[in-house]
Amino acid sequence: MTDNNYDASAIQVLEGLEAVRKRPGMYIGTTDVKGLHHLVWEIVDNAIDEALAGYCKNIEIIINKDNSITVKDDGRGIPVGIHKKTGISTVETVYTVLHAGGKFGGGGYKVSGGLHGVGASVVNALSSSVVVTVYKDGKIYEVKFENGGKIKQPLTVVGECDKNRTGTTVTFKPDADIFDTEIYDYETLKVRTRELAFLNKGLRLTLRDDRKGDSTTGETFIYEGGISEYVKFLNKNKTPIHEEIIHLEGEESGVMFEVAMQYNSSYTDNIYSFVNNINTHDGGTHEEGVKRALTRIINNYARKNNILKEKDESLTGDDVKEGLTMIISCKHPNPQFEGQTKGRLGNSEVRKIADNVFAGGFERFLMENPDEARIIVEKTMTAARARVAAKKARELTRRKSDLDVVNFGGKLNDCKEKDPSVCEIFIVEGDSAGGSAIKGRDSMTQAILPLRGKILNVEKARIDRALSNEEIRTIITAFGTGIGEEFDLNKLRYNKIIIMTDADVDGSHIRVLLLTLFYRFFRPIVETGHVYAAQPPLFSISHGKTIKYVLNEEERDEYIASLNPNTKYEVKRMKGLGEMDAEELNETTMDINKRVLRKITIEDAIAADEAFSKLMGEEVEPRRQFIEENAKYAENLDI
Ligand code: 28F
């Protein structure tokens, strides 16, 4: 390389990395916490490529005290010789020329993810410091970069190592001028590290956090069973309906395809798909091909074995998905990602390949395992019957006119106002409280729906079973939004949905059953803050002609303290909603100028979901404990 060529390419390098610093979003999506964590995966993906090429068995990810990241692999080590095109070493090329990394010699292709292979040079451009150490040929080579990829120390031999020790270690510190935050989140790194271990069977991935004082947190993930173990992991809190995890794999026209699946007794599906280890959240042709084949094969098997009769309509894609946990992993040399977040695989040829590879394997599985086949087919046929029943029941919940709801079982005492923004509905535990609420309410704006005892636990019930419950149908009709795919928040007929139950365990249980119903079928109503819990008083303090109602011990003691010392007073613990007459109930719990409501906001839908599942699942103890602690509420009170 003559000097001016070298200078030219050196200038090109700096311009290239400068372009990344100018518009980082173009290369890593965002510069928020997501972009910060994305840097890790760019480096890890290069180590994974080395594993896919068959040379790396262990990858270590370390969060250092200063929130810099070290990634180590035991692959061949990035080549240190002069790169023919750039005149500088390959390792410096990989870290300074955009899109230089990744492509390995021979048939190997970059199959791991990142934002589609922009690689190590982007990490360098967006880091205030990068140190690359290569162990090869008994020597330790090191090159240092600073301030967005400028050479700080050219590649030099800094030591010796064991003759047959090889590998690459990279430490980088994201540039504080680029990123909104510099703090790494252990859990975020753990979830993706574990997922990469599932997706790359036999590869050992270790994650370590050295930030907490002298103690270090660390976990190692290695799964010889690969995505079959991923299915097992996803089904750990479910009840599988067949023992074996079905595993199929094949290759066609250079596209590798692998599927693992197992049905469980729940009504929800858990299907995740990946292309070159990238999670295709929005699916794509690989998923479509598998689902198409799954539906066709199950229908064919059911008809051929006369489980599905001539007159029966065919099973749908939704029917065959119910209770299905499935991982689809596709390795493609030239994937086309589509959509806003590039989360969808677009390659049209993959649909047929997926169908072929999956169909052959799954058909064989059903033929060779007639017992499992029958269980699976029966599960899908039950789902089909439920779908049909739900459709019929859903019709019942559609309001033809306002009169419908009042006549419908006569349960709802609707309000006269029709403008949802001023209307509210009290769902009241028990007929006696319901009676007092109807008498005590403001009938212009307050509707009352008394509940007889406990409602159905929808956490464990399929939608058709829930819809067969009259009180649930009345609630659905009263709300007016519809449920599931038909749900329309704009049709909500009340601005506030107020759950009015006793403060005892039964009252809490009913409240949480209602929350489960709202969470499962009307989630947006909860998320947009329309749901409240009424706060009936726990004590009354009477002195002279005055009766003061208070919510809890704290308010009771405060009020008593506020009375002058010689006032004679009497404290009574309120028995429950049913003990109060209409006027008391209105005065203390319903009158919008006097009452105190508690807005129910599920702080963390996932945590609440876990809480509901724990609460409504099979285990008794977690349920009892949860009820005692009550459902998660925000403390903000409605005046
Ligand atoms: C901690 C991050 O980046 N590991 C890597 C290798 C190994 C080779 C390689 C990488 C540029 C274009 C070839 C070695 N010997 N860990 C990593 N390990 N890159 S990145 O080559 C990149 C060259 O194609 C390697 C023989 N062939 C490839």
Side-chain angles (χ1 to χ4, degrees):
M1 285 292 284
T2 55
D3 276 2
N4 55 7
N5 283 14
Y6 183 82
D7 294 351
S9 66
I11 291 164
Q12 187 207 11
V13 159
L14 289 183
E15 278 162 4
L17 298 190
E18 199 42 46
V20 175
R21 290 176 66 82
K22 276 215 181 64
R23 273 183 301 286
M26 292 265 290
Y27 297 86
I28 59 167
T30 60
T31 54
D32 62 11
V33 66
K34 213 163 156 13
L36 183 81
H37 287 75
H38 190 81
L39 299 184
V40 181
W41 310 125
E42 280 306 334
I43 301 298
V44 169
D45 283 342
N46 287 336
I48 291 213
D49 284 347
E50 187 61 359
L52 288 170
Y55 297 98
C56 158
K57 286 273 168 281
N58 298 285
I59 297 173
E60 250 191 295
I61 304 167
I62 303 159
I63 313 172
N64 302 307
K65 284 193 188 319
D66 63 351
N67 272 287
S68 64
I69 295 283
T70 295
V71 183
K72 298 181 179 178
D73 76 35
D74 58 357
R76 294 168 288 185
I78 307 180
V80 293
I82 296 303
H83 193 286
K84 54 190 178 311
K85 287 211 191 80
T86 61
I88 54 174
S89 71
T90 295
V91 58
E92 283 171 279
T93 304
V94 167
Y95 272 78
T96 55
V97 177
L98 285 187
H99 305 286
K103 285 264 175 278
F104 293 148
Y109 46 71
K110 181 163 177 52
V111 288
S112 66
L115 264 186
H116 319 309
V118 287
S121 51
V122 166
V123 174
N124 199 6
L126 302 177
S127 295
S128 50
S129 144
V130 172
V131 178
V132 185
T133 311
V134 174
Y135 300 84
K136 202 187 258 277
D137 311 326
K139 291 193 181 72
I140 304 174
Y141 300 82
E142 189 182 76
V143 56
K144 291 183 183 177
F145 304 91
E146 63 183 1
N147 304 333
K150 297 180 184 62
I151 278 282
K152 179 179 177 188
Q153 170 205 299
L155 186 67
T156 45
V157 174
V158 296
E160 303 205 328
C161 66
D162 192 302
K163 270 261 171 291
N164 47 33
R165 177 184 176 183
T166 59
T168 304
T169 294
V170 176
T171 297
F172 68 89
K173 175 79 178 84
D175 192 328
D177 296 345
I178 301 268
F179 291 94
D180 314 345
T181 168
E182 304 162 66
I183 308 300
Y184 275 99
D185 175 63
Y186 181 83
E187 274 309 304
T188 303
L189 295 175
K190 170 181 167 179
V191 168
R192 178 61 179 162
T193 301
R194 178 174 56 202
E195 182 168 84
L196 285 168
F198 280 125
L199 292 169
N200 295 277
K201 69 174 78 170
L203 176 62
R204 178 181 288 102
L205 284 127
T206 298
L207 174 63
R208 217 179 71 205
D209 187 348
D210 287 357
R211 291 173 297 182
K212 292 188 193 64
D214 50 0
S215 73
T216 67
T217 321
E219 291 174 84
T220 294
F221 303 100
I222 178 165
Y223 302 105
E224 298 303 342
I227 59 171
S228 293
E229 290 203 56
Y230 204 170
V231 167
K232 192 166 140 212
F233 170 77
L234 292 170
N235 268 350
K236 71 182 183 310
N237 289 334
K238 311 253 182 181
T239 314
I241 60 168
H242 57 90
E243 187 62 33
E244 184 187 338
I245 290 174
I246 302 167
H247 179 258
L248 313 165
E249 62 184 323
E251 185 191 354
E252 205 180 291
S253 335
V255 180
M256 290 192 274
F257 219 83
E258 195 181 3
V259 177
M261 61 189 271
Q262 184 180 45
Y263 281 92
N264 61 60
S265 61
S266 80
Y267 308 126
T268 49
D269 61 273
N270 236 350
I271 299 174
Y272 297 106
S273 61
F274 300 86
V275 178
N276 301 346
N277 293 334
I278 297 170
N279 189 330
T280 37
H281 293 282
D282 305 322
T285 50
H286 52 336
E287 244 186 80
E288 287 153 14
V290 168
K291 288 178 182 171
R292 187 177 70 184
L294 179 68
T295 309
R296 186 178 70 251
I297 299 300
I298 289 184
N299 271 298
N300 292 351
Y301 185 89
R303 291 205 184 278
K304 203 156 60 190
N305 292 275
N306 209 14
I307 309 171
L308 206 54
K309 304 287 182 280
E310 198 50 43
K311 63 177 176 28
D312 292 329
E313 63 173 76
S314 292
L315 302 162
T316 67
D318 284 344
D319 299 337
V320 300
K321 262 186 354 181
E322 188 188 272
L324 175 59
T325 296
M326 177 187 267
I327 299 288
I328 300 167
S329 177
C330 166
K331 298 280 169 65
H332 195 294
N334 178 26
Q336 301 306 315
F337 293 95
E338 294 174 353
Q340 181 65 24
T341 56
K342 301 280 181 219
R344 205 188 116 70
L345 179 68
N347 302 64
S348 51
E349 81 283 2
V350 170
R351 198 176 276 109
K352 190 76 195 91
I353 295 173
D355 189 316
N356 293 346
V357 171
F358 179 80
F362 187 57
E363 199 164 41
R364 191 169 34 260
F365 173 82
L366 294 180
M367 307 287 274
E368 290 166 1
N369 303 276
D371 296 347
E372 280 81 351
R374 180 164 287 280
I375 290 170
I376 289 170
V377 169
E378 276 180 6
K379 164 104 179 153
T380 57
M381 288 181 63
T382 311
R385 281 193 285 275
R387 170 172 49 80
V388 171
K391 200 156 163 292
K392 284 203 188 83
R394 217 195 296 271
E395 251 99 68
L396 288 175
T397 64
R398 276 206 199 96
R399 300 163 42 70
K400 292 159 204 66
S401 77
D402 282 354
L403 282 178
D404 260 16
V405 193
V406 175
N407 302 339
F408 193 90
K411 297 302 296 168
L412 175 70
N413 298 268
D414 212 348
C415 51
K416 296 187 181 70
E417 255 294 343
K418 292 303 158 217
D419 169 5
S421 65
V422 296
C423 295
E424 50 192 38
I425 180 171
F426 285 80
I427 301 180
V428 190
E429 172 191 0
D431 281 335
S432 71
S436 307
I438 291 163
K439 278 200 217 82
R441 68 174 172 156
D442 168 355
S443 59
M444 277 309 287
T445 58
Q446 293 181 327
I448 307 294
L449 175 57
L451 282 185
R452 273 192 333 265
K454 305 273 169 66
I455 60 159
L456 176 79
N457 166 0
V458 293
E459 168 64 17
K460 288 189 292 187
R462 198 191 263 118
I463 189 166
D464 60 309
R465 173 107 169 68
L467 288 168
S468 64
N469 176 284
E470 183 189 336
E471 292 191 328
I472 288 184
R473 278 212 306 272
T474 306
I475 290 173
I476 294 169
T477 311
F479 286 7
T481 55
I483 56 170
E485 308 84 63
E486 293 168 358
F487 179 89
D488 178 356
L489 187 61
N490 299 318
K491 292 186 180 154
L492 180 59
R493 299 180 61 247
Y494 305 101
N495 177 41
K496 286 191 170 73
I497 291 157
I498 302 165
I499 301 173
M500 187 148 78
T501 60
D502 279 326
D504 58 14
V505 170
D506 282 342
S508 301
H509 191 185
I510 290 174
R511 184 162 62 227
V512 177
L513 284 168
L514 283 168
L515 274 180
T516 305
L517 173 73
F518 296 170
Y519 180 75
R520 296 259 168 259
F521 291 161
F522 302 99
R523 192 172 310 181
I525 292 182
V526 185
E527 286 163 342
T528 47
H530 287 287
V531 181
Y532 294 82
Q535 299 295 302
L538 225 44
F539 300 98
S540 67
I541 302 145
S542 38
H543 51 100
K545 289 204 176 351
T546 314
I547 300 186
K548 169 76 177 169
Y549 295 97
V550 291
L551 293 182
N552 51 44
E553 284 90 342
E554 195 185 329
E555 286 188 14
R556 173 198 60 191
D557 300 345
E558 254 171 50
Y559 186 75
I560 292 171
S562 71
L563 299 174
N564 56 41
N566 53 13
T567 306
K568 283 182 74 49
Y569 63 84
E570 186 200 353
V571 179
K572 248 177 45 181
R573 168 145 187 150
M574 308 298 286
K575 285 279 166 297
L577 293 167
E579 313 295 315
M580 281 192 257
D581 62 27
E583 194 201 341
E584 257 182 335
L585 190 56
N586 181 47
E587 281 283 303
T588 61
T589 315
M590 296 174 70
D591 180 332
I592 56 173
N593 301 315
K594 296 190 182 109
R595 73 193 179 187
V596 175
L597 296 181
R598 192 180 279 201
K599 181 178 279 190
I600 295 179
T601 307
I602 296 177
E603 287 152 24
D604 170 347
I606 300 172
D609 188 35
E610 268 174 20
F612 287 138
S613 308
K614 195 189 299 177
L615 182 78
M616 302 303 168
E618 308 306 322
E619 308 300 311
V620 175
E621 193 31 47
R623 173 174 30 249
R624 163 68 42 198
Q625 199 215 331
F626 183 94
I627 291 178
E628 294 300 339
E629 289 156 17
N630 258 328
K632 271 190 165 186
Y633 294 111
E635 281 312 310
N636 51 330
L637 304 182
D638 174 70
I639 305 300

